[in-house]
Amino acid sequence: MTAVGRVQAAFLAAWYSFLRRRTAVFFTFFFPVIIILIFGALVQTQATGGGLFTEPPAYYVPGYLAVVVLFTPLSRVGSEVARHRDGNQFEKLATTPLSRWEWLLAQTLVNVVVIGLAGLLLLGLIVVVTGAQIAFSPLLVPFVGLGVALFCGVGAMLGSFADSQDGVIAASNALALPLLFLSETFVPPSMLPAWLPTELSPLTFFSRGVRSVTFQPSTEPFFGMAAPGPLFYLGVLAGLTFVFFAAGAVALPRTD
């Protein structure tokens, strides 16, 4: 069997495994609905007053998408790796032709499909609930796909190093929550300390790129350079995705 065939078989196995866990399916799609209803209401009621949500509704599209692009891969892939470790599945995997990077690629593709569908639901709700005027660019697809793949790699590392599934969830939340609010998603750079290096967060490049193609071009400089365009942020995100995906594949245990 070729590498493509092995990845396809592993993808189908992971896909059907996800569908069998009905609670996971429900909350994967229900969680974005709750986020939109809560934050969307805040945006609508405080858009012209003081407080956090003072920008136009479309400004927060990267933040809404970041919720699923960040949290879902970290928790799902991290928990999947932890379950495989608990069930000695990696020891069995070592006896098959399926390599670690192929296994992680299959898991990543499942997450890309799932989060892509959740992202479509999010965008529709954003328009309906908040009345945001969003520019739908084809570049939005690779931004979401690369963002998911990047955090799948991070999730694989968390699942490989954490001592249990509970540890994975705790580590995922401890990492995701600061990144969500310190990566130019819901909080504009003007409200963050000037010394805070938001460029060190990979989610910042996702936020700036998505905002550039859905709302308005980014005006934030990059380490003193003039504000670059969305293709620059897409290229940086692609490079970071390669690094974190490779690191996640290397971190996967060969045996348990």
Side-chain angles (χ1 to χ4, degrees):
M1 183 182 290
T2 63
V4 173
R6 293 193 296 270
V7 171
Q8 182 180 12
F11 169 85
L12 291 175
W15 175 255
Y16 288 123
S17 175
F18 169 72
L19 293 180
R20 285 194 296 269
R21 295 195 291 269
R22 296 181 180 179
T23 302
V25 174
F26 176 76
F27 281 102
T28 296
F29 293 95
F30 183 68
F31 184 56
V33 175
I34 293 298
I35 292 296
I36 291 296
L37 292 179
I38 294 176
F39 286 90
L42 290 174
V43 170
Q44 287 185 332
T45 57
Q46 297 187 15
T48 57
L52 180 61
F53 293 100
T54 57
E55 302 290 340
Y59 180 89
Y60 301 100
V61 169
Y64 295 131
L65 290 177
V67 171
V68 290
V69 168
L70 175 63
F71 279 87
T72 305
L74 288 180
S75 60
R76 289 198 69 250
V77 174
S79 297
E80 192 70 20
V81 172
R83 278 194 295 269
H84 272 62
R85 290 175 59 193
D86 292 342
N88 298 322
Q89 294 299 311
F90 285 110
E91 187 170 309
K92 299 175 183 177
L93 181 65
T95 65
T96 71
L98 188 69
S99 65
R100 291 178 295 171
W101 76 266
E102 291 170 344
W103 181 89
L104 182 56
L105 178 59
Q107 298 292 329
T108 299
L109 292 175
V110 171
N111 279 274
V112 168
V113 173
V114 170
I115 296 169
L117 295 174
L120 287 176
L121 175 63
L122 267 174
L123 290 174
L125 286 173
I126 291 170
V127 173
V128 172
V129 174
T130 71
Q133 297 181 348
I134 302 173
F136 292 93
S137 168
L139 287 177
L140 188 59
V141 176
F143 269 113
V144 172
L146 288 172
V148 172
L150 189 154
F151 290 108
C152 281
V154 177
M157 286 188 283
L158 293 180
S160 299
F161 299 137
D163 57 358
S164 65
Q165 292 188 45
D166 291 338
V168 170
I169 298 301
S172 298
N173 291 333
L175 176 64
L177 283 174
L179 285 180
L180 181 62
F181 292 101
L182 299 179
S183 302
E184 302 181 15
T185 50
F186 292 108
V187 183
S190 59
M191 298 183 66
L192 295 172
W195 53 263
L196 187 67
T198 58
E199 292 89 352
L200 297 182
S201 167
L203 190 63
T204 297
F205 301 102
F206 172 85
S207 301
R208 291 185 181 183
V210 170
R211 187 169 291 119
S212 295
V213 299
T214 60
F215 177 53
Q216 64 183 13
S218 175
T219 58
E220 296 300 320
F222 178 75
F223 288 111
M225 298 167 50
L231 291 179
F232 172 83
Y233 292 119
L234 186 64
V236 173
L237 190 64
L240 292 173
T241 298
F242 176 82
V243 171
F244 281 99
F245 181 88
V250 171
L252 290 176
R254 293 183 181 273
T255 57
D256 305 287

